[in-house]
Structures are given as C-alpha cells and as structure tokens.
Amino acid sequence: MEENIVCGRNAVTELIKSGNPVNKVLIKNEKGQGRNSDILHLLKARGIPYQFVENTVLDKYTAGEKHQGVVAFAAAKEYAEPSDILEIARQRGEDPFILVLDEIEDPHNLGALLRTADAAGVHGVIIPKRRSAALTPAVGRTSAGAVEYVPVARVSNLVQTLKYLKEEGCWVSGAEAGGKDIYQAELKGPRVVVIGGEDKGLGRLIRETCDEIISLPMYGRISSLNASVAGSIIMYEVRRQRNQT
C-alpha cells in the first residue's frame, strides 16, 4: 500500500479535477497566492484539506524533483461513501454496524481500529477530512492488511453524517467516561459506535448528536484507555451481543 506523491501545479490540478481521492495538498507559504488561486479554488470546492508550509518541507517529500510550490498526497485507496457502507449491510441482510472516529490523529490507532473492525464484522468506518489520520502506508501496515477489506468513508461534517445515519435507522452510541456501562447497555440492532480523539475525546457537537453515551468500567487508578484499545473492546461487546440473537 503506497501513498502517491504528486508535485507541480499542473499535475496537482489535474489530480484534483480527476476526482481521485486526495488526502491533502501542501502549498508553499508565500505572500499572496495568486499563481495558486485556481488550485485553492478547486481544493475549497472539493473539500480537500490543504496546508501552507515552508519550501524545505516540500523539498523533503519530492527528493529533488521540481514541485513548483505544490505537493499533493493521493490516497492509497479510494474512499467509500456512508451510503456505500449502509448498502453493504443491506446486501448481507444484517443490521448496520458502523464505526465513526472523531479526530483520531495517530495513524497507528487508526490502523489498529481498522484491524479490529474487520475482525469484529464492522461494515465500515467513517473518519473526518480534517484533524484525522488518513489512509496512509503507516495505517495500512498497522491494520495488517485490513484496510483493503474495511470500507472507509471520509466526510466533511461528522455531525451531519451522524444525523444522516440516524435518519437511516441507526442508533448512535458515543464512547466517553461517565456514560452507561457497556456491559449493561443494549447494543443490538442498527448501531453506530463513535470513538473520540486520543486526547480530547468526543467533540461537544458530536456528543450532543449521539443517542447515548457508553463507557468502559474502570477499576484501577488510570481513568482512560488508548482509543484503539477502548474502541476494540466496545466493538467486540457489540459483536458479542449480536451473536446472542
């Protein structure tokens, strides 16, 4: 699994226009961006993340190749749509089981969660376009190949996506301290599990959109678990309850 690097204004422009998935674009930080105005317009229109960086950062990624101040990172795998994930569940005759990740920025955590998602029978994973790890080689390695089997949707607005999933009949369970013990919660039926970022947990609007908050019981002095560990335990509790039906 490789993340393709595309450099040069024309090449990056054509990549964006092609509709192929792009993780992010780096643009040389300079006064005014007149010569990059067309690219910036396309990036904003397509909702592709971009960042202004120093020229030395661009040089690091292009190994001496001329980049003209613009470098794009094309996704190693095409992203799905939330509707695609629901369709997979329908085709299997199963209630949807979806994992939503709210700003999981560590690629190793994302990879580990994808690996467990595949093992636990999750139909797909949804991540935000900003402030989140994307499908990079590091994610592929950590997932032990699961990234090739678990559909991943990348959306601009997680709150709107959760509302859409609720309209489609899913119950949304957000994982955070202080909620209902997962071993006492009813986790059967069409289910979306939301795992928050490594440091700050669920965002306020995400939390308010959830139908319920569930928590892992903690008996020691440490008050929280790594996001990928907590998410894995919750996914398997959902699977355990499903297997009882």
Side-chain angles (χ1 to χ4, degrees):
M1 176 182 181
E2 296 181 355
E3 187 178 39
N4 297 319
I5 295 177
V6 178
C7 56
R9 285 193 297 277
N10 290 337
V12 171
T13 298
E14 293 306 317
L15 171 65
I16 298 168
K17 288 181 176 179
S18 73
N20 291 324
V22 180
N23 285 333
K24 67 178 178 180
V25 174
L26 302 182
I27 300 173
K28 181 181 177 182
N29 189 16
E30 55 189 359
K31 288 185 179 180
Q33 288 290 341
R35 64 175 184 166
N36 295 321
S37 59
D38 289 346
I39 291 178
L40 288 168
H41 178 75
L42 283 171
L43 292 172
K44 293 173 183 177
R46 304 291 174 91
I48 298 172
Y50 63 92
Q51 182 181 358
F52 296 109
V53 299
E54 297 304 316
N55 200 60
T56 52
V57 176
L58 300 174
D59 291 340
K60 181 181 73 173
Y61 287 112
T62 56
E65 193 172 343
K66 291 183 178 180
H67 50 67
Q68 299 176 305
V70 183
V71 173
F73 296 84
K77 177 189 174 187
E78 187 169 353
Y79 292 100
E81 296 292 335
S83 58
D84 297 331
I85 296 172
L86 291 173
E87 182 58 28
I88 289 170
R90 292 190 187 102
Q91 290 178 357
R92 294 179 184 175
E94 301 171 348
D95 287 331
F97 181 10
I98 300 171
L99 181 67
V100 172
L101 304 179
D102 181 19
E103 298 186 14
I104 298 292
E105 299 186 63
D106 186 337
H108 296 93
N109 275 338
L110 176 56
L113 284 162
L114 287 171
R115 186 173 186 175
T116 303
D118 176 61
V122 171
H123 295 111
V125 176
I126 299 175
I127 61 175
K129 286 186 176 180
R130 300 186 183 278
R131 294 183 294 278
S132 171
L135 295 182
T136 64
V139 170
R141 287 191 296 271
T142 308
S143 76
V147 70
E148 301 297 335
Y149 305 106
V150 180
V152 177
R154 198 174 185 224
V155 301
S156 299
N157 190 314
L158 276 185
V159 171
Q160 291 302 318
T161 300
L162 289 177
K163 290 179 178 178
Y164 161 73
L165 294 172
K166 290 169 72 169
E167 291 171 356
E168 292 294 315
C170 294
W171 188 263
V172 180
S173 302
E176 193 167 70
K180 184 185 299 183
D181 188 317
I182 65 165
Y183 300 114
Q184 297 175 4
E186 172 63 63
L187 299 176
K188 298 176 183 177
R191 182 70 41 180
V192 176
V193 173
V194 188
I195 305 297
E198 292 88 357
D199 298 322
K200 48 194 173 185
L202 298 175
R204 179 181 61 83
L205 293 177
I206 296 290
R207 187 185 310 108
E208 292 174 355
T209 306
C210 292
D211 293 305
E212 65 178 351
I213 299 298
I214 56 175
S215 302
L216 292 169
M218 303 293 292
Y219 301 105
R221 297 184 180 182
I222 304 300
S223 61
S224 64
L225 293 174
N226 172 278
S228 64
V229 173
S232 296
I233 294 171
I234 294 170
M235 281 187 275
Y236 262 97
E237 176 57 18
V238 174
R239 171 50 54 191
R240 185 189 71 81
Q241 293 192 22
R242 286 188 166 216
N243 289 345
Q244 291 180 337
T245 59

